[in-house]
Amino acid sequence: MSTLGTVGIKEVAQRAGVSPGTVSNVLNRPERVAVATRARVQQAIRELGFVRNGSAATLRAGQSRAIGLVVLDVGNPFFVEVARGVEDVVSDRDHAVILCNSGESPGREARNLRVLAEQRVRGVLITPADEDLSMLEGLRDRGVAVVLVDHPATGDLCSVSVDDVAGGDLAVTHLLDRGAERLAYVTGPLGIRQCVERRKGARRALRNAGLPARALEDVVVPEMNAGGGALAAEKLLAGGVPDAIFCANDLLALGVLRALAQAGVRVPDDVALIGYDDIEFSSAAAVPLSSIRQPTYQLGKIATELLLEECDDPSGHAHQQIMFQPELVVRESSR
Amino acid sequence: MSTLGTVGIKEVAQRAGVSPGTVSNVLNRPERVAVATRARVQQAIRELGFVRNGSAATLRAGQSRAIGLVVLDVGNPFFVEVARGVEDVVSDRDHAVILCNSGESPGREARNLRVLAEQRVRGVLITPADEDLSMLEGLRDRGVAVVLVDHPATGDLCSVSVDDVAGGDLAVTHLLDRGAERLAYVTGPLGIRQCVERRKGARRALRNAGLPARALEDVVVPEMNAGGGALAAEKLLAGGVPDAIFCANDLLALGVLRALAQAGVRVPDDVALIGYDDIEFSSAAAVPLSSIRQPTYQLGKIATELLLEECDDPSGHAHQQIMFQPELVVRESSR
DNA sequence: CTGTTAGCGCATTCAG
DNA sequence: CTGAATGCGCTAACAG
């Protein structure tokens, strides 16, 4: 029944018979305080139910013990897996992660970034929603470390990504090997880099096979989730179903798969299908989904290590661009 | 290339030729400032790249414009959907959501709660990881509003939940109707209330059908995800597969389904299967999954409305316990 | 409508 | 190893 936060470091100090400075020390550098004193202070903290005021600490310190993680879609298992990687690294170092969702919208992304800046996070991990990185450079110039996730940087920023051109090539080469001649590429907004790069790879595969670019029809939908996939399938059904469909991620592919099934189109007999990301659900789908696998957890883990390294030593830090290679996983949907 | 946060409200004030108080007003109550002055200040803010220091604001105000959301598993689409409901309500009111993951672990939950308390959030939405709510009552006594999500409260707290006993009953009654005689209940840790309640409902269904409690075998696994499901399936395969399996959530069921398929056990011919939550993937599974549907998005939405109501008027607020009824969705896996 | 002022609670000097 | 003093940047209350 005690009333609000009347209990500050001062009350604790009084109760333990020490000065506020000493309490601060047991909170932040316990080793510098005599064992007996420390114990007394800790007991006072417990008895009073004292909770440190993070805002005051952050204000004083100039920065918080938190980093921001901005993803395109928290509902996408790909990003959940990335977040696991981030979390695992960060929790070892007693930092907090503020998870933000841009929903692929540059506007929401900007708002997220503003909140993170206001919170004075030490750094930001982000999968940008478009190619305009000026805001991120602004952040960096303000002293906030920035690492791009699943998006290669161009030199003045760290990044951890996967070769999306290679992935698109892998997927379409596979479909062509299987005999496809008329293909579709189901994708989210072409403002999203991954979507463009994967298409670039797809077209390269076409060229290498001696086929014209028009053998691959683009189907663009506004959101990269199952709903978007269903929408794409509708368009495809209306315009004539191709031999093979390459989807820019697995969520889209799952949506396509379901809508196709409802329309009586069989996968892979009538049309072959391949997704991207190899999320866990893909292998459990009605027709197990072929996909392009990426080292997702590693992406989060390594990005975070890079970020913390930059935070700890901003001057002596050299920006790195790390790029992984994706891998083809063939399952029933394109067998 | 400007150096760190040297630019505060003071510099902005100077540049705009007004006092710091006025800048604060355009930031927080723009309507109280003359249009011309406001414009001048906003321009100064833009030119200087000023970003309000949230810690200072929070420190001064005594509380932040944020609420905490603590879920059992961010990887579970059920909670992602809840979070969508929360987000939609909160963003209308210009608050931020700090999303935390307890991973079903009381220890992690406690740490999350400590961080939220340190951040001086206005309120906390939480699906508790166990029955010990003392920490939450502590928070509430400290002036932080608390609403339980997917967990009924007992009177001194708000809650929004779904009748899990009814859900368990629904699921098992359905399996019995279909002719099952030997059943299994695949569940996460029995410290989790939902798991216990759903079992209670399952047993009630058994009783109503005149069957003994031992007709339902418990299979407890440590995590309520696909991995846990696979583990459960292994145990089941070793001990003799029952007629029907009820899983405490869809992730478990999906894991069971896959493992069973690999072992050559057919669903629903050899064994019927039903999950819980009706996540989107369930209908797209290899065998579309029967499930118990809950008003997930509503859970998040209404919980947040309750929370904000309590924040805005702590004294004149009467705690409410809202309970929804679940719904049976029959698909291929138990047809 | 705008300016002035006094802390919010803590961490960090620098002495002792 | 401990204590006293100072101010981080901002908001709210009040004065003008």
Side-chain angles (χ1 to χ4, degrees):
Chain A
M1 264 327 149
S2 70
T3 30
L4 191 61
T6 315
V7 44
I9 216 170
K10 233 166 170 170
E11 285 73 25
V12 175
Q14 189 166 20
R15 172 138 191 157
V18 299
S19 80
T22 301
V23 177
S24 172
N25 277 333
V26 351
L27 251 31
N28 301 301
R29 284 173 305 272
E31 71 283 359
R32 291 197 197 169
V33 177
V35 189
T37 319
R38 197 196 304 167
R40 215 144 25 92
V41 170
Q42 280 162 340
Q43 184 178 357
I45 288 178
R46 235 172 295 121
E47 289 172 356
L48 262 33
F50 164 79
V51 178
R52 170 227 251 103
N53 185 325
S55 308
T58 298
L59 174 57
R60 186 58 229 203
Q63 58 173 18
S64 67
R65 297 182 67 73
I67 67 167
L69 171 60
V70 185
V71 301
L72 294 177
D73 177 12
V74 276
N76 187 337
F78 172 82
F79 288 110
V80 174
E81 190 65 14
V82 170
R84 280 214 317 116
V86 173
E87 188 90 36
D88 283 355
V89 173
V90 141
S91 63
D92 281 348
R93 314 224 342 195
D94 186 34
H95 278 230
V97 179
I98 303 181
L99 179 56
C100 302
N101 187 202
S102 72
E104 300 170 10
S105 144
R108 282 188 66 180
E109 175 182 294
R111 253 178 295 153
N112 290 150
L113 253 16
R114 195 176 47 72
V115 170
L116 293 175
E118 287 188 1
Q119 297 307 317
R120 297 295 189 265
V121 294
R122 295 191 67 191
V124 170
L125 296 166
I126 182 171
T127 304
D130 65 12
E131 283 306 311
D132 177 13
L133 305 183
S134 56
M135 204 155 219
L136 297 174
E137 285 158 1
L139 264 186
R140 184 208 46 200
D141 292 345
R142 234 167 246 283
V144 180
V146 174
V147 174
L148 265 32
V149 177
D150 200 31
H151 190 120
T154 48
D156 49 357
L157 241 34
C158 275
S159 71
V160 182
S161 59
V162 187
D163 188 339
D164 284 306
V165 177
D169 190 332
L170 230 39
V172 168
T173 298
H174 165 64
L175 294 175
L176 294 175
D177 283 349
R178 205 185 153 281
E181 292 177 347
R182 264 192 66 220
L183 326 212
Y185 174 51
V186 173
T187 179
L190 293 174
I192 298 179
R193 191 201 52 87
Q194 289 86 333
C195 294
V196 177
E197 298 290 291
R198 288 166 197 178
R199 181 173 65 170
K200 202 177 292 176
R203 291 183 172 171
R204 187 172 76 190
L206 247 38
R207 256 196 324 280
N208 288 346
L211 280 133
R214 66 182 145 65
L216 181 75
E217 175 195 3
D218 287 340
V219 181
V220 181
V221 293
E223 296 194 327
M224 296 179 74
N225 52 29
L231 194 63
E234 272 178 42
K235 295 191 191 183
L236 249 15
L237 287 166
V241 179
D243 301 332
I245 304 173
F246 169 36
C247 294
N249 78 10
D250 282 354
L251 256 23
L252 285 169
L254 256 10
V256 167
L257 181 61
R258 178 154 31 160
L260 249 29
Q262 274 169 3
V265 178
R266 291 165 309 166
V267 173
D269 307 299
D270 299 329
V271 51
L273 182 63
I274 184 168
Y276 208 109
D277 287 349
D278 193 32
I279 63 175
E280 188 171 11
F281 293 109
S282 297
S283 58
V287 181
L289 199 64
S290 296
S291 196
I292 302 295
R293 178 180 298 164
Q294 314 191 66
T296 320
Y297 177 87
Q298 285 297 317
L299 236 43
K301 185 164 183 285
I302 294 181
T304 309
E305 284 166 355
L306 245 33
L307 187 77
L308 293 177
E309 184 188 307
E310 182 170 348
C311 290
D312 291 343
D313 179 16
S315 53
H317 169 87
H319 294 307
Q320 288 177 61
Q321 292 80 40
I322 297 178
M323 182 171 287
F324 291 100
Q325 287 304 310
E327 196 182 322
L328 173 68
V329 179
V330 179
R331 298 205 183 86
E332 204 51 37
S333 73
S334 68
R335 193 93 71 182
Chain B
M1 267 324 149
S2 69
T3 29
L4 190 63
T6 316
V7 43
I9 217 172
K10 233 165 170 170
E11 285 74 24
V12 175
Q14 189 167 19
R15 173 141 193 154
V18 299
S19 80
T22 301
V23 177
S24 173
N25 276 333
V26 349
L27 251 30
N28 301 303
R29 285 172 303 274
E31 71 283 359
R32 291 195 195 170
V33 177
V35 188
T37 318
R38 199 194 305 168
R40 214 144 28 89
V41 171
Q42 280 163 341
Q43 184 178 356
I45 287 178
R46 234 172 296 119
E47 289 172 355
L48 262 33
F50 164 79
V51 178
R52 173 226 252 102
N53 185 324
S55 307
T58 297
L59 174 59
R60 186 57 239 219
Q63 58 173 17
S64 67
R65 296 182 68 73
I67 67 167
L69 170 60
V70 184
V71 301
L72 294 177
D73 177 12
V74 277
N76 187 337
F78 172 82
F79 289 111
V80 174
E81 190 64 16
V82 170
R84 281 212 318 115
V86 174
E87 188 90 36
D88 283 356
V89 173
V90 141
S91 63
D92 282 348
R93 314 223 345 195
D94 185 35
H95 277 230
V97 179
I98 303 181
L99 178 56
C100 303
N101 188 202
S102 72
E104 302 171 10
S105 142
R108 282 187 67 177
E109 176 183 293
R111 252 177 296 153
N112 289 150
L113 254 17
R114 194 174 49 69
V115 171
L116 293 175
E118 288 187 2
Q119 298 308 316
R120 296 299 188 263
V121 294
R122 295 192 66 189
V124 170
L125 295 166
I126 182 170
T127 304
D130 65 13
E131 284 306 312
D132 177 13
L133 306 181
S134 56
M135 204 153 218
L136 298 173
E137 285 158 1
L139 264 185
R140 184 207 46 199
D141 293 345
R142 234 166 247 282
V144 180
V146 174
V147 173
L148 265 29
V149 177
D150 199 30
H151 190 119
T154 47
D156 49 356
L157 241 34
C158 276
S159 71
V160 182
S161 60
V162 188
D163 188 339
D164 284 306
V165 176
D169 190 332
L170 231 40
V172 168
T173 297
H174 164 65
L175 294 175
L176 294 174
D177 284 349
R178 203 185 155 281
E181 292 176 348
R182 263 193 67 220
L183 326 210
Y185 174 50
V186 172
T187 180
L190 293 174
I192 298 180
R193 192 202 53 85
Q194 289 87 332
C195 294
V196 177
E197 298 289 292
R198 288 166 196 177
R199 183 173 64 170
K200 203 177 291 178
R203 290 183 173 171
R204 186 171 76 189
L206 248 36
R207 256 197 322 280
N208 288 344
L211 271 89
R214 67 183 146 66
L216 181 74
E217 175 195 1
D218 288 339
V219 182
V220 182
V221 293
E223 296 193 327
M224 296 180 72
N225 52 30
L231 194 62
E234 270 178 43
K235 294 191 194 186
L236 250 15
L237 287 166
V241 179
D243 301 332
I245 303 173
F246 169 36
C247 294
N249 79 9
D250 281 356
L251 257 22
L252 285 169
L254 257 11
V256 167
L257 181 62
R258 180 155 29 158
L260 248 30
Q262 274 169 4
V265 177
R266 292 164 309 163
V267 173
D269 307 298
D270 299 330
V271 51
L273 182 62
I274 185 167
Y276 208 108
D277 288 348
D278 193 32
I279 63 176
E280 187 172 11
F281 293 108
S282 296
S283 60
V287 180
L289 199 63
S290 297
S291 196
I292 302 295
R293 177 180 298 163
Q294 314 192 67
T296 320
Y297 176 88
Q298 285 296 317
L299 236 42
K301 184 164 183 287
I302 294 182
T304 310
E305 284 166 355
L306 245 33
L307 187 78
L308 293 177
E309 187 189 305
E310 182 171 348
C311 289
D312 290 343
D313 179 16
S315 54
H317 169 86
H319 294 307
Q320 288 177 59
Q321 291 80 41
I322 296 177
M323 183 171 286
F324 291 100
Q325 287 304 311
E327 196 182 324
L328 173 68
V329 179
V330 178
R331 297 205 185 84
E332 204 52 37
S333 72
S334 66
R335 193 95 70 182

